[in-house]
Amino acid sequence: MPVDFRSINTVWASVIVETLHCLGLQSVVISPGSRSTPLTVAFAACDQIEAIPVLDERSAAFLALGLAKQSHRPVALVCTSGTAGANYFPAIIEARESRVPLIVLTTDRPPELRDCYSGQTIDQLRLFGEYPNWQTELAVPELDLGQLRYLRQTIVQAWRRSLHPVPGVVHLNQPFREPLPPIPDGQAELFQTQFPDSFFDALDGWEPQPVTVELSPTLRARWASTPNGLIVAGQAQPPDPLEYCRAIATLSQALGWPVLAEGLSPLRNFTSVNPYLVAHYDTILRNPKAAETFNPTYVLQIGPLPTSKVLRQWLADRDVETWQVDGGDRNLDPLHNRTTPLTMTVGQLAGAIAREASESFADGAEHSEYLTGWLAADAQIGAAVDCTMEGCDRLCESKVSWLMSRVLPQDTPVFVANSTAVRDVEWFWRPGQLQVQPYVNRGANGIDGTLSTALGIAHRNRPAVMLTGDLALLHDTNGFLTRSHFQGSLTILLLNNNGGGIFNLLPISKFDPPFEEFFATPQTIAFAHLCQTYGVTYERITDWGHLRDRLKYLPDSGLRVLEIPTHREQDADWRLQTFAQLAADLDFCL
């Protein structure tokens, strides 16, 4: 886009926008306001960047989060001064913890209008504490070529810091003096003669350079001589799910170690790639004999640990020597075991393993009794789960995850809300070849922004599905306000148990009062009426055949809510009874 030479502010704002465009920005989410006028006008004039208006800043931030999760590229946010930016904070926390790149542009009063009771003015410096990768205040706009070069290079630095060394948030606070609208002032038009045509020529999209990774011979030897090691793979949303799965398969088959794969990892949806996959580790480890028999010597942890408390407690009790594989610089070991970080991606580690001679690893390790025992136990539990689910006629929350894993169309993006939905996916999502990419906000594990994040993932994407409880959806109904600008298809599977089902699985559920009123918090909302208010398609599911038909074929466009009425207390009891029975019936030998 050409630089807008109508006024000082339009020159400054259009340099910001064009620099971001040259670096590769594709999307910006903008909330209405006066102080942000110069940036809003500049982004709206740039045809190469999609500008999406969203009224509610909290919803806007989570929409941007979803867009960035989908594209694995920075997405920009623009808001006015005052408390507007404060509404970004929950999404910024999630982006930091989930390693999602966002460039946040909060606009502000100039310094002379601060601390003097000027309207809509708060202290916006370091507004988000230590959560951004980097943060700075930009200069007040002026027509000076040196200052515009400073601006250009600061934006370049912001883009880089949003991606490297770990993706995350960059916060730029931009003060503007009035006039804010693009009112011609003459001075800017004269400045055009000083502005070089080559100003943006040197800007290239930045990509991290590949790193050559080598493993020490001692570590290779230790892994190669150990048949009873484990690979534990947590939730992951990689840019290329198939390559990610192949990398873990390379490690698994070279070492002969089973892969305990979280339901929120793509691993369970590319089973032909990895024959050593174990999905039902949570149930297996509820059997005391299995828990003792499957003691590992070493653990290779890929990314964060799975959600399962049973698995985490089992690993903590054993204090297993662990290597944590992660391409970033953060501690991912909440168990405080004997953990050694390997600062490399799983692809780099797999490449290093593949470069080694095949004799570096024990012949026949893939046929160890340890591996065979895990796979046999997993197959038995998987068959029992299938039998249990097929025999469950009533609408039960846990069966929804199981059914989704069997009937969704290939390559469906699936966003899973936190609390009970996440756990049902881990417990009951069956391995298969759907090549589904699951998405989730498991950085801070909150329910805020659930709908808005899912809309960001589904925007201009394949028809997508969101699995959520009623409270998570109600917490973000302002996300429906983006409907008129949403381009894509999102089917919302609403598990309505009239409250917070996760709390029925916790000890506090035995204490009522105050349990029902202060923890379960039933809302008794007529979702058909809510959907009608926002112009969203609604349907109430009556039986499993009905749901199966709606999942096999997803609409090409639009929003629809499929409400699945369930019973909170019955489902909590059903889970506990089912786990106890499956674990007790586990029959294996090593």
Side-chain angles (χ1 to χ4, degrees):
M1 60 171 280
V3 174
D4 187 339
F5 289 100
R6 281 182 288 182
S7 70
I8 297 173
N9 283 337
T10 60
V11 171
W12 192 269
S14 57
V15 166
I16 291 175
V17 171
E18 180 59 14
T19 302
L20 287 170
H21 164 239
C22 291
L23 291 169
L25 184 73
Q26 296 178 345
S27 303
V28 59
V29 183
I30 303 172
S31 294
S34 176
R35 193 57 51 169
S36 52
T37 295
L39 280 174
T40 299
V41 171
F43 274 115
C46 182
D47 294 336
Q48 295 83 11
I49 297 175
E50 181 182 24
I52 305 173
V54 176
L55 174 63
D56 177 1
E57 285 87 1
R58 188 179 74 167
S59 178
F62 278 103
L63 178 70
L65 182 82
L67 291 167
K69 280 176 177 282
Q70 178 202 145
S71 65
H72 300 275
R73 305 173 66 87
V75 172
L77 280 161
V78 173
C79 71
T80 191
S81 62
T83 59
N87 289 285
Y88 286 164
F89 208 174
I92 284 171
I93 293 171
E94 180 61 37
R96 191 266 184 192
E97 299 298 334
S98 293
R99 305 182 185 189
V100 178
L102 295 178
I103 295 178
V104 177
L105 291 155
T106 57
T107 55
D108 202 351
R109 264 40 175 192
E112 66 270 17
L113 291 181
R114 299 174 189 171
D115 295 320
C116 59
Y117 207 60
S118 176
Q120 204 169 314
T121 305
I122 66 171
D123 184 359
Q124 296 181 196
L125 305 183
R126 305 189 71 82
L127 181 61
F128 308 115
E130 298 300 319
Y131 284 96
N133 285 1
W134 185 61
Q135 52 194 317
T136 191
E137 179 166 64
L138 299 173
V140 178
E142 57 181 290
L143 292 180
D144 177 84
L145 193 56
Q147 283 295 89
L148 290 174
R149 287 174 176 146
Y150 137 80
L151 177 63
R152 178 192 61 195
Q153 294 312 115
T154 303
I155 299 301
V156 171
Q157 173 71 353
W159 182 267
R160 291 178 176 176
R161 292 296 296 271
S162 74
L163 291 166
H164 185 76
V166 177
V169 177
V170 167
H171 174 210
L172 302 175
N173 193 58
Q174 174 64 73
F176 285 113
R177 290 192 176 101
E178 294 187 356
L180 300 170
I183 300 172
D185 62 14
Q187 186 182 358
E189 186 176 349
L190 291 174
F191 180 76
Q192 184 172 5
T193 60
Q194 305 175 36
F195 194 83
D197 293 336
S198 60
F199 189 82
F200 299 106
D201 287 354
L203 292 178
D204 294 313
W206 178 84
E207 298 292 341
Q209 297 300 308
V211 178
T212 301
V213 179
E214 299 295 338
L215 293 178
S216 71
T218 302
L219 184 57
R220 292 199 306 269
R222 292 175 69 187
W223 288 357
S225 62
T226 304
N228 59 332
L230 275 181
I231 297 175
V232 177
Q235 60 94 6
Q237 296 156 77
D240 189 331
L242 179 57
E243 285 305 306
Y244 175 85
C245 294
R246 283 174 174 164
I248 294 179
T250 296
L251 296 173
S252 173
Q253 292 175 287
L255 298 169
W257 295 359
V259 180
L260 277 54
E262 157 87 73
L264 300 168
S265 161
L267 286 164
R268 290 203 202 176
N269 303 303
F270 291 84
T271 52
S272 65
V273 174
N274 196 324
Y276 299 162
L277 205 66
V278 175
H280 300 96
Y281 48 83
D282 183 280
T283 307
I284 292 169
L285 295 176
R286 292 172 191 256
N287 180 295
K289 181 181 177 183
E292 188 61 34
T293 300
F294 288 135
N295 278 338
T297 301
Y298 300 136
V299 169
L300 196 58
Q301 177 187 330
I302 313 296
L305 285 170
T307 304
S308 168
K309 283 187 177 181
V310 173
L311 173 64
R312 292 185 177 211
Q313 189 61 55
W314 181 72
L315 291 172
D317 290 344
R318 281 146 185 81
D319 191 23
V320 184
E321 189 169 3
T322 300
W323 286 268
Q324 175 187 297
V325 182
D326 179 61
D329 59 354
R330 296 176 189 160
N331 179 12
L332 299 181
D333 178 24
L335 308 181
H336 309 299
N337 280 340
R338 293 177 292 144
T339 300
T340 301
L342 296 177
T343 308
M344 61 184 76
T345 66
V346 65
Q348 290 169 336
L349 178 59
I353 291 289
R355 287 194 295 270
E356 302 300 323
S358 59
E359 58 267 19
S360 297
F361 298 96
D363 291 337
E366 65 271 23
H367 303 299
S368 70
E369 291 184 354
Y370 186 77
L371 172 63
T372 302
W374 269 109
L375 297 179
D378 189 61
Q380 181 181 333
I381 295 294
V385 167
D386 287 346
C387 183
T388 299
M389 292 301 187
E390 287 165 358
C392 180
D393 294 328
R394 71 177 185 87
L395 290 177
C396 167
E397 294 169 14
S398 300
K399 185 170 177 176
V400 175
S401 299
W402 177 83
L403 186 65
M404 289 171 67
S405 69
R406 296 171 70 93
V407 304
L408 281 177
Q410 288 278 116
D411 301 317
T412 300
V414 175
F415 182 80
V416 183
N418 280 314
S419 295
T420 315
V422 158
R423 287 158 177 83
D424 275 338
V425 167
E426 180 171 28
W427 292 328
F428 300 114
W429 190 278
R430 294 285 281 123
Q433 273 298 110
L434 290 182
Q435 299 184 14
V436 162
Q437 171 60 65
Y439 294 91
V440 67
N441 284 343
R442 291 301 283 173
N445 298 4
I447 65 168
D448 34 0
T450 297
L451 173 59
S452 298
T453 306
L455 287 166
I457 288 165
H459 185 66
R460 299 184 182 273
N461 200 352
R462 296 176 58 85
V465 171
M466 167 180 154
L467 178 65
T468 182
D470 50 309
L471 295 190
L473 181 62
L474 288 171
H475 204 270
D476 190 32
T477 53
N478 270 3
F480 284 129
L481 293 173
T482 65
R483 182 180 61 85
S484 59
H485 298 280
F486 173 68
Q487 297 184 40
S489 167
L490 180 64
T491 294
I492 300 167
L493 298 182
L494 169 59
L495 303 171
N496 187 2
N497 59 19
N498 194 26
I502 187 65
F503 294 107
N504 285 85
L505 301 176
L506 301 178
I508 190 61
S509 63
K510 308 301 181 190
F511 299 88
D512 189 23
F515 174 73
E516 191 68 12
E517 183 178 3
F518 289 95
F519 292 88
T521 58
Q523 300 300 311
T524 319
I525 298 297
F527 282 96
H529 296 164
L530 181 71
C531 291
Q532 184 179 23
T533 298
Y534 287 104
V536 173
T537 302
Y538 168 86
E539 191 170 353
R540 185 179 175 91
I541 297 299
T542 56
D543 56 51
W544 292 117
H546 187 186
L547 179 59
R548 183 185 294 269
D549 290 343
R550 294 300 179 268
L551 291 181
K552 288 172 65 176
Y553 305 102
L554 302 176
D556 293 329
S557 62
L559 298 175
R560 68 170 178 172
V561 171
L562 303 180
E563 182 181 7
I564 306 165
T566 61
H567 194 286
R568 182 159 32 95
E569 292 83 358
Q570 287 183 14
D571 283 355
D573 292 340
W574 182 90
R575 289 184 187 92
L576 295 175
Q577 293 168 7
T578 299
F579 285 134
Q581 189 65 53
L582 292 173
D585 290 346
L586 182 60
D587 180 24
F588 66 97
C589 61
L590 280 180

